[in-house]
Amino acid sequence: AESIILETKEEDGYLITPQALQDCLDQAKTNGQNVKLMILCNPSNPTGGVHNQQRLTEIATVLEDHPQVAILADEIYERLVYNDEPEDEHVSFASISQNMYDRTMTINGFSKAYAMTGMRLGYMAAPAPLAKAATTIQSQLTSCAGSISQAAGVAALKNVEESEMEANVKIMREKRDYVISRLKEMKDVNLVVPPTGAFYVLPDVSSYYDGDDTQLCLDLLQNKRLAIVPGSSFGAPGTVRISYATSMEELGIAMDKLNDFLEEVSAE
């Protein structure tokens, strides 16, 4: 299959708008391309953006007119959402309508919400024909998830209290707020729409290195031993992805290093 990129905008928080989706589908049709699948990452890596229920409903309305398009909904960051209003909480795309339920493959796992990255344990919820097809492929690749990982997953579901999950979200939110506050203090670093989910921030640093985010990251790694990811790897040149899934102590060191590096670059 050939990928079709649906461009999103910084001012929209890198979220999909119904008009952008409609335009993308119309252009594909004009080009003679038969769109079969839409991939929706919500909450988003690398932006931390969250499509709320209203936005998902608008997207579903567009897709109603394109019944040939199935939806692959990656929702692995669903428990890491930092909105204050109930209407902005994460909603699974398959729950938007019966039509979307019948067309959606929901992808999730334990690595983010339960911090079980090394267990490599995930799952898919999908209409039976699609689930059966996926099982056929998996049986020839990995057979199944490791028994130890499965046991750990059961323990997570049964033994981790909801209060503990909520406490973790609160901690992650504090880390997000800290990183955002530090970025605001850095010259010519812009974050138009703060992230509301996952554990990433994607600030604009295009004022440095003439927008060459890759070289910026390479020099930062070489000079300060600090690793961040160039946004061009995600189709967002001039930005960098920062993960705050670490301790506050480490974040403090990292933000100090980034600030010092940018000040040194500005002084050259």
Side-chain angles (χ1 to χ4, degrees):
E2 177 185 355
S3 296
I4 299 173
I5 305 300
L6 197 169
E7 298 289 349
T8 55
K9 298 179 180 179
E10 182 182 20
E11 57 265 31
D12 296 324
Y14 295 106
L15 300 179
I16 298 171
T17 66
Q19 188 59 56
L21 176 58
Q22 185 64 65
D23 292 345
C24 183
L25 291 167
D26 289 345
Q27 186 61 52
K29 184 176 181 180
T30 300
N31 295 340
Q33 297 169 304
N34 183 19
V35 179
K36 295 285 188 70
L37 179 71
M38 173 183 172
I39 299 176
L40 174 65
C41 184
N42 186 47
S44 171
N45 174 8
T47 68
V50 180
H51 299 76
N52 62 16
Q53 184 170 7
Q54 179 180 345
R55 180 60 59 85
L56 293 177
T57 300
E58 294 169 348
I59 291 172
T61 300
V62 174
L63 292 171
E64 290 283 352
D65 296 328
H66 300 272
Q68 81 285 2
V69 180
I71 301 91
L72 183 69
D74 180 349
E75 300 180 359
I76 200 164
Y77 295 97
E78 65 168 338
R79 297 303 303 267
L80 298 174
V81 176
Y82 317 114
N83 288 307
D84 295 317
E85 302 300 327
E87 60 267 25
D88 289 331
E89 293 179 355
H90 178 270
V91 174
S92 182
F93 189 71
S95 71
I96 294 298
S97 68
Q98 184 63 46
N99 193 340
M100 295 304 107
Y101 179 87
D102 293 337
R103 295 162 55 183
T104 300
M105 295 167 280
T106 302
I107 304 298
N108 214 313
F110 292 78
S111 62
K112 310 305 178 184
Y114 295 98
M116 293 168 54
T117 52
M119 292 294 182
R120 318 312 296 169
L121 184 64
Y123 57 89
M124 179 179 79
L130 294 173
K132 183 177 180 181
T135 300
T136 299
I137 295 174
Q138 184 188 28
S139 68
Q140 303 302 316
L141 297 175
T142 59
S143 289
C144 63
S147 59
I148 296 174
S149 297
Q150 292 187 49
V154 171
L157 293 173
K158 287 186 174 182
N159 300 336
V160 178
E161 299 290 340
E162 184 63 24
S163 59
E164 186 173 346
M165 300 293 289
E166 292 173 354
N168 183 57
V169 172
K170 181 180 179 181
I171 291 171
M172 294 302 291
R173 180 171 186 155
E174 291 172 353
K175 293 176 180 179
R176 180 205 65 165
D177 293 346
Y178 172 74
V179 170
I180 291 174
S181 67
R182 292 297 305 273
L183 291 174
K184 287 181 178 179
E185 298 171 354
M186 298 181 192
K187 180 182 178 182
D188 294 327
V189 175
N190 299 307
L191 188 65
V192 176
V193 180
T196 54
F199 41 69
Y200 305 109
V201 182
L202 193 75
D204 184 318
V205 293
S206 57
S207 295
Y208 296 90
Y209 282 78
D210 294 322
D212 189 344
D213 53 315
T214 299
Q215 192 59 52
L216 185 154
C217 289
L218 288 172
D219 287 354
L220 178 62
L221 180 62
Q222 179 70 31
N223 296 331
K224 299 295 184 180
R225 297 295 188 266
L226 177 62
I228 57 179
V229 183
S232 55
S233 300
F234 305 99
T239 68
V240 293
R241 189 192 74 171
I242 299 171
S243 169
Y244 50 88
T246 187
S247 68
M248 285 295 292
E249 180 182 4
E250 290 292 336
L251 283 176
I253 295 172
M255 291 297 100
D256 287 345
K257 286 186 174 183
L258 179 59
N259 183 69
D260 291 347
F261 176 77
L262 295 179
E263 287 183 348
E264 291 167 8
V265 171
S266 296
E268 291 178 355

